Amino acid sequence: MAKKTLSAIGTASDGIARTPSKSQKAFNALIARIEKRRAALAEWEVFGADFQRRFNEEFTPLLGRFNAVRVELVHRLDQAYDTKGLTKVERRTIGELITHIAGKLMASIDDPAIAELHQRYRTHDPEAEAAALDDRRRMLEAVFGASIADDVDLDSPDDVMRYVREQTHQQYEREREHQEARENYHANRKKSPKREAAEERARAEQAEVHLSIREVYRKLASALHPDREIDPVERERKAALMQRVNIAYASRSLLDLLEIQLELEHIDQAALDNISEDRLKRWNTILKEQLSDLEMELGEVELGFLIKSRMNPALVVSPKNVKRALTATINDIRETIKGFEQYVRVVDDGRGLKPWLKQMKWHLAEI
């Protein structure tokens, strides 16, 4: 049986165009937005398989090679530090290179030897370090629109994104707790008759909302209960449909339940066009909750791809942009590995070490 989707309601009657009511307009808008979010999630799911394959087969091995060649360079520089004929400036440049590269490595791998070299060559300039750290923190805070704590490792994109995600979730929880506290405060206050009446109406409306989705569920459950079916083929079909119904009801997905009713021809477009305003309002309340859940799920999916692809957080997160970002990241790492392999050869050879150190002194931040 082909899956059916809801069409806009209240736009035509017996072939004659008409203006939908306010509740019908809201219903149509919610359905359209939910379908858009569903389509986006489906697109990410299809895209995710190819993305994960490339991530595992291309990016992960390259990252391992990149870390390995950086580790090798740090050790070669450490060995070159005592080379005869080097000036104090050149030795200081070697120390700065070791500190810089080792610092970045420590954000990716756990290597005690690299940590020891970083500590040994590190020159402590509290004011300069604090100023540089503050600049980077302000830049990241401007991008994400959130404060970043002092203990977050700004050299690790994963740590920064994880912290931002945790802060967003905590902010949501604080707002929810604040709202609950306000509701509890008002609930414990002596209420005026007018307020008690308003709260009673709100409770009644919430109960009606629950009953609305339960009513649809019970009608489907009654029609699809597989134990009442004698024919084994039909019993299997109903069992599969009942599984969809149960999943939809558990997630409060009114849209899925209505679409199953359409598939089974329990309702048709004419019936939907004539749903009462009161029922539509209750349905719209449920659909708003479903839309909110979908938007939260979509946000989590997009954030995951943003972190893995290492794309610019200021860009729109879409499969096209994520694919482009991953490709750019893979190509950048390949080229960077070639550069670091050349650095290792230069340091090993020794004859080009002095000119190379002079050049690297001015390009330290770029490696």
Side-chain angles (χ1 to χ4, degrees), residues 73-92:
L73 179 59
V74 168
H75 286 295
R76 294 291 195 279
L77 287 168
D78 176 46
Q79 294 166 7
Y81 185 83
D82 293 324
T83 300
K84 291 182 179 181
L86 292 180
T87 66
K88 287 183 179 180
V89 172
E90 288 166 343
R91 293 185 200 280
R92 184 164 61 247

Side-chain angles (χ1 to χ4, degrees), residues 89-348:
V89 172
E90 288 166 343
R91 293 185 200 280
R92 184 164 61 247
T93 301
I94 289 178
E96 290 172 351
L97 283 166
I98 290 174
T99 303
H100 180 73
I101 299 169
K104 288 196 168 185
L105 272 169
M106 289 163 61
S108 299
I109 62 173
D110 182 14
D111 187 327
I114 292 297
E116 189 277 326
L117 288 171
H118 179 269
Q119 184 63 30
R120 188 197 313 169
Y121 285 96
R122 180 182 178 189
T123 56
H124 191 53
D125 185 348
E127 291 186 4
E129 290 177 3
L133 200 61
D134 286 343
D135 287 343
R136 294 178 64 194
R137 181 172 286 104
R138 280 195 293 270
M139 180 193 71
L140 290 168
E141 288 175 345
V143 169
F144 291 108
S147 298
I148 299 177
D150 294 342
D151 59 348
V152 177
D153 183 1
L154 302 184
D155 288 323
S156 171
D158 289 354
D159 286 355
V160 172
M161 293 300 296
R162 191 177 298 111
Y163 177 81
V164 170
R165 180 164 50 184
E166 289 173 356
Q167 290 303 302
T168 302
H169 178 71
Q170 289 174 14
Q171 178 63 25
Y172 169 79
E173 288 297 320
R174 283 194 296 270
E175 291 176 357
R176 184 182 61 80
E177 290 172 1
H178 178 67
Q179 180 63 28
E180 288 181 357
R182 288 189 60 184
E183 291 173 356
N184 291 334
Y185 170 74
H186 289 298
N188 293 326
R189 288 180 63 191
K190 185 176 180 180
K191 303 179 182 68
S192 66
K194 184 177 180 180
R195 184 171 185 82
E196 286 184 347
E199 291 185 358
E200 183 60 33
R201 284 196 302 272
R203 285 193 292 270
E205 288 173 3
Q206 187 59 38
E208 288 174 353
V209 165
H210 176 73
L211 287 174
S212 292
I213 193 168
R214 183 167 177 77
E215 177 187 14
V216 178
Y217 169 77
R218 291 182 68 176
K219 287 180 179 178
L220 285 167
S222 177
L224 294 173
H225 204 297
D227 292 345
R228 299 173 183 172
E229 185 58 54
I230 299 176
D231 180 57
V233 176
E234 185 65 8
R235 186 188 305 120
E236 184 176 351
R237 184 186 74 87
K238 286 188 174 182
L241 283 168
M242 194 63 212
Q243 184 178 20
R244 285 175 55 195
V245 169
N246 286 332
I247 292 172
Y249 182 64
S251 60
R252 290 177 60 80
S253 178
L254 175 64
L255 181 55
D256 285 323
L257 293 174
L258 292 176
E259 287 176 345
I260 294 171
Q261 281 195 318
L262 280 174
E263 289 179 31
L264 298 172
E265 298 181 347
H266 290 181
I267 57 172
D268 56 18
Q269 192 63 38
L272 290 171
D273 286 338
N274 291 294
I275 294 293
S276 70
E277 285 290 297
D278 286 342
R279 178 172 292 186
L280 268 182
K281 288 179 181 177
R282 293 194 291 272
W283 283 7
N284 288 344
T285 298
I286 300 169
L287 291 174
K288 286 177 184 176
E289 293 176 1
Q290 185 177 351
L291 177 62
S292 178
D293 290 342
L294 283 171
E295 288 177 338
M296 186 174 294
E297 181 182 357
L298 183 58
E300 287 291 318
V301 169
E302 290 176 347
L303 184 58
F305 282 107
L306 175 68
I307 293 172
K308 279 195 167 184
S309 67
R310 301 191 176 189
M311 69 177 285
N312 185 342
L315 296 177
V316 174
V317 185
S318 67
K320 182 179 179 180
N321 286 343
V322 168
K323 182 178 181 179
R324 184 182 294 124
L326 181 62
T327 299
T329 298
I330 289 171
N331 291 337
D332 287 346
I333 290 181
R334 284 198 182 104
E335 293 304 311
T336 304
I337 289 172
K338 291 178 183 178
F340 271 80
E341 289 172 343
Q342 177 62 25
Y343 297 159
V344 170
R345 287 192 290 269
V346 169
V347 176
D348 278 347

Side-chain angles (χ1 to χ4, degrees), residues 25-70:
K25 287 180 180 178
F27 179 87
N28 293 338
L30 286 165
I31 293 298
R33 291 175 67 186
I34 288 172
E35 291 295 355
K36 186 176 180 180
R37 303 303 186 278
R38 281 176 160 182
L41 285 168
E43 186 179 9
W44 281 118
E45 185 175 1
V46 172
F47 171 77
D50 182 62
F51 176 90
Q52 195 60 46
R53 178 191 60 77
R54 290 192 64 202
F55 188 87
N56 293 338
E57 296 178 4
E58 298 181 54
F59 175 80
T60 300
L62 281 172
L63 183 60
R65 284 179 56 198
F66 182 41
N67 288 334
V69 74
R70 286 190 293 174

